Amino acid sequence: MAFVCRSFGVVLWELLIHEIPYKDVDSSAIIWGVGSNSLQLPIPETCPEGLKLLITQCWSVVVVVVVVVVVVVVVFVVVVVVVVVVVGGLIL
């Protein structure tokens, strides 16, 4: 769902700017940059504040989802380790 929101923000940006996003950037750099939130499309100063807010909110959702996924993975790993240690201790 977050990537749909991110994509909607990019479509809004395209409608505003009338350009191809990331046109001079390698596709692997786009994937990395968007995933790590280090690659941002420029929003012009002439952009209406409401539209600017909507675009930036669409783009910030990705960061929240990435953080949530990392937290879930860490919690899962900790639970698996605890279960292995407890079950291993019971078997011995």
Side-chain angles (χ1 to χ4, degrees), residues 58-70:
C58 285
W59 293 346
S60 68
V61 169
V62 174
V63 176
V64 172
V65 169
V66 169
V67 169
V68 169
V69 168
V70 168

Side-chain angles (χ1 to χ4, degrees), residues 77-92:
V77 168
V78 168
V79 168
V80 168
V81 168
V82 168
V83 167
V84 167
V85 167
V86 168
V87 170
L90 294 176
I91 294 175
L92 296 176

